[in-house]
Amino acid sequence: RRRRRAPVRRRPQDRCHRCCCAHRSRFAAAIDASRLLTWYAASRCDHGLSFAREAAQAKLFASDTAMWVTTDAVQIHGGYGYIKEYMVEKLMRDAKLTQIYEGTNQVNRIVAGGALMR
């Protein structure tokens, strides 16, 4: 006869920890993809090839990723995410600025789309 094992009771903290780990892994993957897109555009520039589309796509993807990551980070921190004493609040403001500075994301979408049509 086999003995039945008692079910393992998971604490709520364990679920929260697993959820945060899942968030961090998705964040890391998106940030790495942004970095690779940027390096690809820079590589094309270094080799004298056209890079307008690649640069627009890299800026668009990286700024959207920064905004997505910081928004989720603020939500993970809860109410503390909006307090100026925490770095998350500043990072979110900076991420929003990256979407606006050096051409808005809408303009970058038009540039990237126009380059695809050529």
Side-chain angles (χ1 to χ4, degrees), residues 48-76:
L49 302 170
S50 64
F51 64 95
R53 177 178 65 98
E54 288 80 5
Q57 287 174 335
K59 195 259 183 203
L60 171 69
F61 189 77
S63 62
D64 282 347
T65 297
M67 195 61 205
W68 169 65
V69 167
T70 55
T71 301
D72 279 6
V74 166
Q75 290 176 355
I76 288 170

Side-chain angles (χ1 to χ4, degrees), residues 8-20:
V8 177
R9 299 185 102 189
R10 303 229 190 268
R11 296 188 313 261
Q13 296 90 351
D14 292 341
R15 270 182 285 167
C16 183
H17 177 72
R18 284 195 308 268
C19 181
C20 285

